[in-house]
Amino acid sequence: MGDVHGRADLLEPLLAAIAADAHASGPEPRVLFLGDIVDRGPCSREAMDLVCDTPARWPLSRLIQGNHDAYFLDIMTADQVDEKRFGRWLMRIGGYQTMESYGLLSVGNIRDAATIFRANHPHPLQALKDASPIVVDDRFAYVHAGIDPTRSIGDQAPKDLMMIRDRFLDHEGQLSHIIAHGHTPTSDSMPDSRPCRIAIDTGAYASGRLTCLAISADERNLSLPDCYDFGRKHRGYTRDADE
C-alpha cells in the first residue's frame, strides 16, 4: 500500500476491495503498508486505526516505517522535544493535520500532548514502534523510500530506507530484488513500474488517488489497483513481474 498520508477515506474502501478479492479467491492476504500513514491528509487518526486493525484481521500484514511515521513517533516519545524539529513537523510537513486529528492542538504544550497521546492511543503507538524498516521476499523487497544500490539488501542504512531519493531513483542497473516503494510521489499521480522498482506513492493526500501493488503468492503476477475520488471509482492495470 502506497503512502496514505491521512487519507482514511481512500484506505478504507481499498482495504474493503482487498477483503472482497480475498473472499472470492481464497488465500488470506498479507497487506504491507509502505509507510507515511500520518501527516498532510485530514484523517491520520482514522488511517492509523485502519492500519492497526489490519494485522488483527490478516496476521501476516506489516507496517513499514516511513519518515513521517518516524517523526510522529519521535515527537510523541522523546524525553525532551526538539522545539525546532517539532515546529518544522507541525507547520511544514503535515504534523498540524496529525495533531488535529488526534485532538491535541488545544493542549497547552507538546509534552502534555505527547503524554495524552501515549495514554489514550496505545495501539497506534505500539504499531509505530513495531514498524519494520524493510520486508524482503524471494523476488521483491518492500520499503518506504528505496535502497542504496551500492549496498546489499541486507546491509542497508535505516535512514536510506526511509529517505533516499536520487541515488536510488536514478539507478538504471539491475538490483538483487524488485523494490516496491513509496516516499517520492510520481509525477503524474500514477504508479511507475520499471524493471528494478515499482513506485506506488501516487500522492494520495493531494491527488485523491491511493495505489496498492497486488502480487500473487508465487511473486509472478502483479496488478496495480487504486482507489480514487473518495472510493467511488476503482481502476488499475496489470503486468507480469518479469517485464
Side-chain angles (χ1 to χ4, degrees), residues 13-98:
L14 197 48
L15 288 171
I18 291 170
D21 182 73
H23 179 75
S25 61
E28 179 180 289
R30 176 186 66 165
V31 179
L32 301 178
F33 298 96
L34 297 187
D36 282 7
I37 308 303
V38 301
D39 293 353
R40 293 183 172 153
C43 298
S44 289
R45 176 177 177 173
E46 292 84 352
M48 276 301 306
D49 286 346
L50 289 168
V51 171
C52 291
D53 289 344
T54 300
R57 187 180 194 182
W58 301 312
L60 296 178
S61 300
R62 303 275 290 279
L63 170 62
I64 292 169
Q65 189 177 61
N67 56 305
H68 285 262
D69 309 319
Y71 297 152
F72 184 38
L73 177 62
D74 287 349
I75 288 167
M76 292 296 108
T77 58
D79 291 332
Q80 185 170 354
V81 175
D82 183 329
E83 294 291 343
K84 184 176 180 181
R85 191 166 187 255
F86 170 65
R88 179 177 181 273
W89 172 72
L90 187 72
M91 302 308 300
R92 295 183 57 188
I93 60 176
Y96 183 96
Q97 289 87 345
T98 299

Coordinates of all heavy atoms in Angstrom, one line a residue, residues 13-98:
P13 N -12.0 2.0 1.6 CA -12.5 1.2 0.5 C -11.5 0.3 -0.2 O -11.9 -0.7 -0.8 CB -13.1 2.3 -0.4 CG -12.4 3.5 -0.1 CD -12.1 3.4 1.4
L14 N -10.2 0.7 -0.2 CA -9.2 -0.1 -0.8 C -9.0 -1.4 0.0 O -8.9 -2.5 -0.6 CB -7.9 0.6 -1.0 CG -6.9 0.1 -2.0 CD1 -7.5 -0.3 -3.3 CD2 -5.8 1.1 -2.2
L15 N -9.0 -1.3 1.3 CA -8.9 -2.5 2.1 C -10.2 -3.4 2.0 O -10.1 -4.6 2.0 CB -8.8 -2.1 3.6 CG -7.4 -1.5 4.0 CD1 -7.4 -1.0 5.4 CD2 -6.3 -2.6 3.9
A16 N -11.3 -2.7 1.8 CA -12.6 -3.5 1.5 C -12.5 -4.2 0.2 O -12.9 -5.4 0.1 CB -13.8 -2.6 1.5
A17 N -11.9 -3.6 -0.8 CA -11.7 -4.3 -2.1 C -10.7 -5.5 -1.9 O -10.9 -6.5 -2.5 CB -11.2 -3.3 -3.1
I18 N -9.7 -5.3 -1.1 CA -8.8 -6.4 -0.9 C -9.5 -7.6 -0.2 O -9.3 -8.8 -0.5 CB -7.6 -5.9 0.0 CG1 -6.7 -5.0 -0.8 CG2 -6.7 -7.1 0.5 CD1 -5.6 -4.3 0.0
A19 N -10.3 -7.2 0.8 CA -11.1 -8.3 1.5 C -12.0 -9.0 0.6 O -12.2 -10.2 0.7 CB -11.9 -7.6 2.7
A20 N -12.7 -8.3 -0.3 CA -13.6 -8.9 -1.3 C -12.9 -9.8 -2.2 O -13.3 -10.9 -2.5 CB -14.4 -7.8 -2.0
D21 N -11.7 -9.4 -2.7 CA -10.9 -10.2 -3.6 C -10.4 -11.5 -2.8 O -10.4 -12.6 -3.4 CB -9.7 -9.4 -4.1 CG -8.9 -10.2 -5.0 OD1 -9.3 -10.4 -6.2 OD2 -7.8 -10.6 -4.7
A22 N -10.0 -11.3 -1.6 CA -9.6 -12.5 -0.8 C -10.7 -13.5 -0.6 O -10.5 -14.7 -0.6 CB -9.0 -12.0 0.5
H23 N -11.9 -12.9 -0.3 CA -13.1 -13.8 -0.1 C -13.4 -14.6 -1.4 O -13.7 -15.8 -1.3 CB -14.3 -13.0 0.3 CG -15.5 -13.8 0.5 ND1 -15.7 -14.5 1.7 CD2 -16.6 -13.9 -0.2 CE1 -16.9 -15.1 1.6 NE2 -17.5 -14.8 0.5
A24 N -13.2 -14.0 -2.5 CA -13.5 -14.6 -3.8 C -12.4 -15.6 -4.2 O -12.8 -16.7 -4.8 CB -13.7 -13.6 -4.9
S25 N -11.2 -15.3 -3.9 CA -10.1 -16.2 -4.4 C -9.6 -17.2 -3.4 O -9.0 -18.2 -3.8 CB -8.9 -15.3 -4.8 OG -8.4 -14.5 -3.7
G26 N -9.8 -17.0 -2.1 CA -9.5 -18.0 -1.1 C -8.3 -17.6 -0.2 O -8.4 -17.6 1.0
P27 N -7.1 -17.3 -0.7 CA -5.9 -17.1 0.1 C -6.1 -15.9 1.0 O -6.7 -14.9 0.6 CB -4.8 -16.9 -0.9 CG -5.3 -17.5 -2.1 CD -6.7 -17.3 -2.2
E28 N -5.6 -16.0 2.2 CA -5.6 -14.8 3.1 C -4.5 -13.8 2.6 O -3.4 -14.2 2.4 CB -5.2 -15.3 4.5 CG -5.2 -14.1 5.5 CD -4.9 -14.6 6.9 OE1 -5.7 -15.3 7.5 OE2 -3.7 -14.4 7.4
P29 N -4.9 -12.5 2.5 CA -3.9 -11.6 2.0 C -2.9 -11.2 3.1 O -3.2 -11.3 4.3 CB -4.8 -10.4 1.6 CG -6.0 -10.5 2.6 CD -6.2 -12.0 2.7
R30 N -1.8 -10.7 2.7 CA -0.8 -10.0 3.5 C -0.7 -8.6 3.0 O -0.4 -8.3 1.9 CB 0.5 -10.7 3.4 CG 1.6 -10.0 4.2 CD 3.0 -10.6 4.0 NE 3.5 -10.4 2.6 CZ 4.7 -10.5 2.2 NH1 5.6 -10.9 3.1 NH2 5.1 -10.4 1.0
V31 N -1.1 -7.6 3.8 CA -1.0 -6.2 3.5 C 0.2 -5.6 4.1 O 0.4 -5.6 5.3 CB -2.3 -5.5 3.9 CG1 -2.2 -4.0 3.5 CG2 -3.5 -6.1 3.3
L32 N 1.1 -5.0 3.2 CA 2.3 -4.3 3.7 C 2.1 -2.9 3.4 O 2.0 -2.4 2.2 CB 3.5 -4.8 2.9 CG 3.8 -6.3 3.0 CD1 5.1 -6.7 2.2 CD2 4.1 -6.7 4.5
F33 N 2.0 -2.1 4.4 CA 1.8 -0.6 4.3 C 3.3 -0.1 4.2 O 4.1 -0.3 5.1 CB 1.1 -0.1 5.5 CG -0.3 -0.6 5.7 CD1 -0.5 -1.6 6.6 CD2 -1.3 0.0 5.1 CE1 -1.8 -2.1 6.8 CE2 -2.6 -0.4 5.3 CZ -2.9 -1.5 6.1
L34 N 3.5 0.7 3.1 CA 4.9 1.2 2.9 C 5.2 2.5 3.6 O 6.1 3.2 3.2 CB 5.1 1.4 1.4 CG 5.0 0.1 0.5 CD1 5.4 0.4 -0.9 CD2 5.9 -1.0 1.1
G35 N 4.4 2.8 4.6 CA 4.8 3.9 5.5 C 4.1 5.2 5.1 O 3.4 5.3 4.1
D36 N 4.4 6.2 5.9 CA 3.8 7.5 5.8 C 2.2 7.4 5.9 O 1.5 7.9 5.0 CB 4.2 8.3 4.6 CG 5.6 8.9 4.7 OD1 6.2 8.6 5.8 OD2 6.0 9.6 3.8
I37 N 1.8 6.8 7.0 CA 0.3 6.7 7.2 C -0.2 8.1 7.7 O -1.4 8.4 7.4 CB 0.0 5.7 8.3 CG1 0.7 4.3 7.9 CG2 -1.4 5.5 8.5 CD1 0.3 3.8 6.6
V38 N 0.6 8.8 8.4 CA 0.1 10.1 9.0 C 0.6 11.3 8.2 O 1.4 11.2 7.3 CB 0.6 10.2 10.5 CG1 0.1 9.0 11.3 CG2 2.1 10.2 10.6
D39 N 0.1 12.5 8.7 CA 0.5 13.8 8.2 C -0.1 14.2 6.9 O -0.5 13.3 6.1 CB 2.1 13.9 8.0 CG 2.8 13.9 9.3 OD1 2.2 13.9 10.4 OD2 4.1 13.8 9.3
R40 N -0.3 15.5 6.7 CA -0.8 16.1 5.5 C -2.3 15.9 5.2 O -3.0 16.9 5.1 CB 0.0 15.6 4.3 CG 1.5 16.1 4.3 CD 2.2 15.7 3.1 NE 3.5 16.3 3.1 CZ 4.6 15.9 2.5 NH1 4.5 14.7 1.8 NH2 5.8 16.5 2.5
G41 N -2.8 14.7 5.1 CA -4.2 14.5 4.9 C -5.0 14.7 6.2 O -4.4 14.9 7.3
P42 N -6.3 14.7 6.1 CA -7.1 15.2 7.2 C -7.4 14.1 8.3 O -7.9 14.5 9.4 CB -8.5 15.6 6.6 CG -8.5 14.7 5.4 CD -7.1 14.5 4.9
C43 N -7.2 12.8 8.0 CA -7.6 11.8 9.0 C -6.5 10.8 9.3 O -6.7 9.6 9.2 CB -8.8 11.0 8.3 SG -10.2 12.1 7.9
S44 N -5.4 11.3 9.9 CA -4.4 10.4 10.3 C -4.8 9.5 11.4 O -4.4 8.3 11.4 CB -3.2 11.3 10.8 OG -2.5 12.0 9.8
R45 N -5.6 9.9 12.3 CA -6.0 9.0 13.4 C -6.8 7.8 12.8 O -6.6 6.7 13.2 CB -6.9 9.8 14.4 CG -7.4 8.9 15.5 CD -8.2 9.7 16.5 NE -8.8 8.8 17.6 CZ -9.4 9.3 18.6 NH1 -9.6 10.6 18.8 NH2 -10.0 8.4 19.5
E46 N -7.8 8.1 12.0 CA -8.6 7.1 11.4 C -7.7 6.1 10.5 O -7.9 4.9 10.5 CB -9.7 7.7 10.5 CG -10.8 8.4 11.4 CD -10.4 9.8 11.7 OE1 -9.3 10.2 11.5 OE2 -11.3 10.5 12.3
A47 N -6.8 6.7 9.8 CA -5.9 5.9 8.9 C -5.0 5.0 9.8 O -4.9 3.8 9.5 CB -5.0 6.8 8.1
M48 N -4.5 5.5 10.9 CA -3.7 4.6 11.8 C -4.6 3.5 12.4 O -4.1 2.4 12.6 CB -3.1 5.5 12.9 CG -1.7 6.1 12.5 SD -0.4 5.0 12.0 CE -0.4 3.8 13.4
D49 N -5.8 3.8 12.7 CA -6.7 2.8 13.3 C -6.9 1.7 12.3 O -6.9 0.5 12.6 CB -8.1 3.4 13.6 CG -8.0 4.3 14.9 OD1 -7.0 4.2 15.6 OD2 -8.9 5.0 15.2
L50 N -7.1 2.0 11.0 CA -7.2 1.0 9.9 C -6.0 0.2 9.8 O -6.1 -1.1 9.6 CB -7.6 1.7 8.6 CG -9.0 2.3 8.5 CD1 -9.1 3.2 7.2 CD2 -10.1 1.2 8.5
V51 N -4.8 0.8 9.9 CA -3.6 0.1 9.8 C -3.4 -0.9 11.0 O -3.0 -2.0 10.9 CB -2.4 1.1 9.8 CG1 -1.1 0.3 9.9 CG2 -2.4 1.8 8.4
C52 N -3.8 -0.4 12.2 CA -3.7 -1.2 13.4 C -4.7 -2.4 13.3 O -4.4 -3.5 13.8 CB -4.0 -0.4 14.6 SG -2.7 0.8 15.1
D53 N -5.8 -2.2 12.7 CA -6.8 -3.3 12.6 C -6.4 -4.4 11.6 O -6.9 -5.5 11.8 CB -8.2 -2.7 12.2 CG -8.8 -1.9 13.3 OD1 -8.4 -2.0 14.5 OD2 -9.7 -1.1 13.0
T54 N -5.6 -4.0 10.7 CA -5.3 -5.0 9.6 C -4.5 -6.2 10.0 O -4.9 -7.3 9.7 CB -4.5 -4.2 8.5 OG1 -5.4 -3.2 8.0 CG2 -4.3 -5.2 7.3
P55 N -3.4 -6.1 10.8 CA -2.8 -7.4 11.3 C -3.7 -8.2 12.2 O -3.5 -9.4 12.2 CB -1.6 -6.8 12.1 CG -1.3 -5.5 11.6 CD -2.7 -4.9 11.3
A56 N -4.6 -7.6 12.9 CA -5.5 -8.4 13.7 C -6.4 -9.2 12.8 O -6.9 -10.3 13.1 CB -6.4 -7.5 14.6
R57 N -6.7 -8.7 11.6 CA -7.6 -9.3 10.7 C -6.8 -10.3 9.8 O -7.2 -11.5 9.6 CB -8.2 -8.3 9.8 CG -9.3 -8.8 8.8 CD -9.8 -7.6 8.0 NE -11.0 -7.9 7.3 CZ -11.7 -7.1 6.5 NH1 -11.2 -5.9 6.3 NH2 -12.8 -7.5 5.9
W58 N -5.6 -9.9 9.3 CA -4.7 -10.7 8.5 C -3.3 -10.7 9.1 O -2.5 -9.8 8.9 CB -4.7 -10.1 7.1 CG -6.0 -10.1 6.4 CD1 -7.0 -11.1 6.4 CD2 -6.6 -9.0 5.7 NE1 -8.1 -10.7 5.6 CE2 -7.9 -9.4 5.2 CE3 -6.2 -7.7 5.4 CZ2 -8.7 -8.6 4.5 CZ3 -7.0 -6.9 4.6 CH2 -8.3 -7.3 4.2
P59 N -3.0 -11.7 9.9 CA -1.8 -11.6 10.8 C -0.5 -11.4 10.1 O 0.5 -11.0 10.8 CB -1.9 -12.9 11.6 CG -3.3 -13.3 11.6 CD -3.9 -12.8 10.3
L60 N -0.4 -11.7 8.9 CA 0.9 -11.6 8.2 C 1.2 -10.1 7.8 O 2.3 -9.8 7.3 CB 1.0 -12.5 7.0 CG 1.0 -14.0 7.3 CD1 1.0 -14.8 6.0 CD2 2.1 -14.4 8.1
S61 N 0.2 -9.3 7.9 CA 0.3 -7.9 7.5 C 1.3 -7.1 8.4 O 1.5 -7.4 9.5 CB -1.0 -7.2 7.5 OG -1.9 -7.9 6.6
R62 N 2.0 -6.1 7.8 CA 3.0 -5.4 8.5 C 3.0 -3.9 8.1 O 2.6 -3.5 7.0 CB 4.4 -5.9 8.1 CG 4.6 -7.4 8.3 CD 5.0 -7.7 9.8 NE 6.4 -7.2 10.0 CZ 7.5 -7.9 9.6 NH1 7.4 -9.0 9.0 NH2 8.7 -7.4 10.0
L63 N 3.4 -3.1 9.0 CA 3.6 -1.7 8.7 C 5.1 -1.5 8.6 O 5.9 -1.9 9.4 CB 3.1 -0.8 9.9 CG 3.5 0.7 9.8 CD1 3.0 1.4 8.6 CD2 3.1 1.4 11.1
I64 N 5.5 -0.9 7.4 CA 6.9 -0.5 7.2 C 7.0 1.0 7.6 O 6.2 1.8 7.2 CB 7.3 -0.7 5.7 CG1 7.3 -2.3 5.5 CG2 8.6 -0.1 5.4 CD1 7.4 -2.7 4.0
Q65 N 8.1 1.3 8.2 CA 8.2 2.7 8.8 C 8.6 3.7 7.7 O 9.5 3.6 7.0 CB 9.3 2.8 9.9 CG 9.3 4.1 10.6 CD 10.3 4.1 11.8 OE1 11.5 3.9 11.5 NE2 9.8 4.3 13.0
G66 N 7.7 4.7 7.6 CA 8.1 5.9 6.7 C 8.6 7.0 7.6 O 8.5 7.0 8.8
N67 N 9.2 8.0 6.9 CA 9.9 9.1 7.6 C 8.8 9.9 8.4 O 9.1 10.4 9.5 CB 10.7 10.0 6.7 CG 9.9 10.5 5.5 OD1 9.2 9.8 4.8 ND2 9.9 11.8 5.4
H68 N 7.6 10.1 7.9 CA 6.6 10.8 8.6 C 6.2 10.1 9.9 O 5.9 10.7 10.9 CB 5.4 11.2 7.7 CG 5.7 12.3 6.7 ND1 5.3 13.6 7.0 CD2 6.4 12.2 5.6 CE1 5.7 14.3 5.9 NE2 6.4 13.5 5.1
D69 N 6.0 8.8 9.7 CA 5.7 8.0 10.9 C 6.8 8.1 12.0 O 6.5 8.2 13.2 CB 5.6 6.5 10.5 CG 4.6 6.3 9.3 OD1 3.6 7.0 9.3 OD2 4.9 5.5 8.5
A70 N 8.0 8.1 11.5 CA 9.2 8.2 12.5 C 9.2 9.6 13.1 O 9.4 9.7 14.4 CB 10.5 8.0 11.7
Y71 N 8.9 10.6 12.4 CA 8.8 12.0 13.0 C 7.7 12.0 14.1 O 8.0 12.4 15.2 CB 8.4 13.0 12.0 CG 9.3 13.3 10.9 CD1 8.9 13.7 9.6 CD2 10.7 13.1 11.0 CE1 9.7 14.0 8.6 CE2 11.6 13.3 9.9 CZ 11.1 13.7 8.7 OH 11.9 14.0 7.7
F72 N 6.6 11.4 13.8 CA 5.5 11.4 14.8 C 5.8 10.6 16.0 O 5.6 11.1 17.1 CB 4.2 10.9 14.1 CG 3.0 10.9 14.9 CD1 2.7 11.9 15.8 CD2 2.1 9.8 14.8 CE1 1.5 11.9 16.5 CE2 0.9 9.8 15.6 CZ 0.6 10.8 16.4
L73 N 6.4 9.4 15.8 CA 6.8 8.6 16.9 C 7.8 9.3 17.8 O 7.7 9.3 19.0 CB 7.3 7.3 16.4 CG 7.9 6.3 17.4 CD1 6.8 5.9 18.4 CD2 8.5 5.1 16.8
D74 N 8.8 9.9 17.2 CA 9.9 10.5 17.9 C 9.4 11.6 18.8 O 9.7 11.8 19.9 CB 11.0 11.1 17.0 CG 11.8 10.0 16.3 OD1 11.7 8.8 16.8 OD2 12.6 10.3 15.4
I75 N 8.5 12.4 18.2 CA 7.9 13.6 18.9 C 7.0 13.1 20.1 O 7.0 13.7 21.2 CB 7.2 14.5 18.0 CG1 8.2 15.3 17.1 CG2 6.3 15.5 18.7 CD1 7.6 16.0 15.9
M76 N 6.3 12.0 19.9 CA 5.4 11.5 20.9 C 6.1 10.8 22.0 O 5.5 10.5 23.1 CB 4.3 10.6 20.3 CG 3.3 11.4 19.4 SD 2.3 12.6 20.3 CE 3.0 14.1 19.7
T77 N 7.4 10.4 21.8 CA 8.0 9.6 22.8 C 9.3 10.2 23.3 O 10.0 9.6 24.2 CB 8.4 8.2 22.2 OG1 9.2 8.3 21.0 CG2 7.1 7.4 21.9
A78 N 9.7 11.3 22.8 CA 11.0 11.9 23.2 C 11.0 12.4 24.6 O 10.0 12.9 25.1 CB 11.4 13.1 22.3
D79 N 12.1 12.1 25.3 CA 12.2 12.7 26.7 C 12.3 14.2 26.7 O 11.7 14.8 27.6 CB 13.5 12.1 27.3 CG 13.4 10.6 27.6 OD1 12.3 10.1 27.8 OD2 14.5 10.0 27.6
Q80 N 12.9 14.7 25.7 CA 12.9 16.2 25.5 C 12.7 16.5 24.1 O 13.5 16.2 23.2 CB 14.2 16.8 26.0 CG 14.3 18.3 26.0 CD 15.5 18.8 26.8 OE1 16.3 18.1 27.4 NE2 15.7 20.1 26.7
V81 N 11.7 17.2 23.7 CA 11.3 17.5 22.4 C 12.2 18.6 21.8 O 12.4 19.6 22.5 CB 9.8 17.9 22.2 CG1 9.5 18.3 20.8 CG2 8.9 16.8 22.7
D82 N 12.7 18.4 20.6 CA 13.5 19.4 19.9 C 12.4 20.4 19.3 O 11.7 20.1 18.4 CB 14.3 18.8 18.8 CG 15.1 19.8 18.0 OD1 14.7 20.9 17.9 OD2 16.2 19.4 17.5
E83 N 12.3 21.6 19.9 CA 11.3 22.5 19.5 C 11.4 22.9 18.1 O 10.4 23.1 17.4 CB 11.3 23.8 20.4 CG 11.0 23.5 21.9 CD 9.5 23.1 22.1 OE1 8.7 23.4 21.2 OE2 9.2 22.6 23.2
K84 N 12.6 23.1 17.6 CA 12.8 23.5 16.2 C 12.3 22.4 15.2 O 11.6 22.6 14.3 CB 14.2 23.8 15.9 CG 14.5 24.3 14.5 CD 16.0 24.6 14.3 CE 16.2 25.1 12.9 NZ 17.7 25.5 12.7
R85 N 12.6 21.1 15.6 CA 12.1 20.0 14.8 C 10.6 19.8 14.9 O 10.0 19.5 13.9 CB 12.8 18.7 15.3 CG 12.7 17.5 14.4 CD 13.7 16.4 14.7 NE 13.6 15.3 13.8 CZ 13.0 14.1 14.0 NH1 12.5 13.9 15.2 NH2 13.0 13.2 13.1
F86 N 10.1 20.0 16.1 CA 8.6 19.9 16.2 C 7.9 21.0 15.4 O 6.9 20.7 14.7 CB 8.3 20.1 17.7 CG 6.8 20.2 18.0 CD1 5.9 19.2 17.7 CD2 6.3 21.4 18.5 CE1 4.6 19.3 17.9 CE2 4.9 21.6 18.7 CZ 4.1 20.5 18.4
G87 N 8.5 22.2 15.4 CA 7.8 23.3 14.7 C 7.9 23.0 13.2 O 6.9 23.3 12.5
R88 N 9.0 22.5 12.7 CA 9.1 22.1 11.3 C 8.0 21.0 10.9 O 7.3 21.1 9.9 CB 10.5 21.7 10.9 CG 10.7 21.3 9.5 CD 12.1 20.9 9.2 NE 12.3 20.5 7.8 CZ 12.1 19.3 7.3 NH1 11.7 18.3 8.1 NH2 12.2 19.1 6.0
W89 N 8.0 20.0 11.8 CA 7.0 18.9 11.5 C 5.6 19.5 11.5 O 4.8 19.2 10.7 CB 7.2 17.8 12.6 CG 6.1 16.8 12.5 CD1 6.0 15.8 11.6 CD2 5.1 16.6 13.5 NE1 4.9 15.0 11.9 CE2 4.3 15.4 13.0 CE3 4.7 17.2 14.7 CZ2 3.2 14.9 13.7 CZ3 3.6 16.7 15.4 CH2 2.9 15.6 14.9
L90 N 5.3 20.3 12.5 CA 3.9 20.8 12.7 C 3.5 21.7 11.5 O 2.4 21.5 11.0 CB 3.8 21.6 14.0 CG 2.4 22.0 14.4 CD1 1.6 20.8 14.9 CD2 2.5 23.1 15.6
M91 N 4.3 22.6 11.1 CA 3.9 23.7 10.2 C 4.3 23.5 8.7 O 3.7 24.0 7.8 CB 4.4 25.0 10.7 CG 4.0 25.4 12.1 SD 2.2 25.3 12.4 CE 1.6 26.5 11.2
R92 N 5.3 22.6 8.5 CA 5.8 22.5 7.2 C 5.6 21.1 6.5 O 5.5 21.1 5.3 CB 7.3 22.8 7.1 CG 7.6 24.2 7.5 CD 9.1 24.5 7.4 NE 9.7 24.2 6.1 CZ 10.9 24.2 5.7 NH1 11.8 24.4 6.7 NH2 11.3 23.9 4.5
I93 N 5.5 20.1 7.3 CA 5.4 18.8 6.6 C 4.2 17.9 7.1 O 4.2 16.7 6.9 CB 6.7 18.0 6.8 CG1 7.0 17.7 8.3 CG2 7.8 18.7 6.1 CD1 8.2 16.8 8.5
G94 N 3.2 18.6 7.6 CA 1.9 17.9 7.8 C 1.6 17.5 9.2 O 0.5 16.9 9.5
G95 N 2.4 17.8 10.2 CA 2.1 17.4 11.6 C 0.9 18.1 12.1 O 0.2 17.6 13.0
Y96 N 0.6 19.3 11.7 CA -0.6 20.0 12.2 C -1.8 19.2 12.0 O -2.7 19.0 12.9 CB -0.7 21.4 11.4 CG -1.9 22.2 11.9 CD1 -1.6 23.2 12.8 CD2 -3.2 22.0 11.4 CE1 -2.7 24.0 13.3 CE2 -4.2 22.8 11.9 CZ -4.0 23.8 12.8 OH -5.0 24.6 13.2
Q97 N -2.0 18.6 10.8 CA -3.2 17.8 10.5 C -3.2 16.5 11.4 O -4.3 16.1 11.8 CB -3.2 17.4 9.0 CG -3.5 18.5 8.1 CD -2.2 19.3 7.7 OE1 -1.1 19.2 8.3 NE2 -2.3 20.1 6.6
T98 N -2.0 16.0 11.7 CA -2.0 14.8 12.5 C -2.4 15.2 14.0 O -3.2 14.5 14.6 CB -0.6 14.2 12.5 OG1 -0.3 13.8 11.2 CG2 -0.5 13.0 13.5

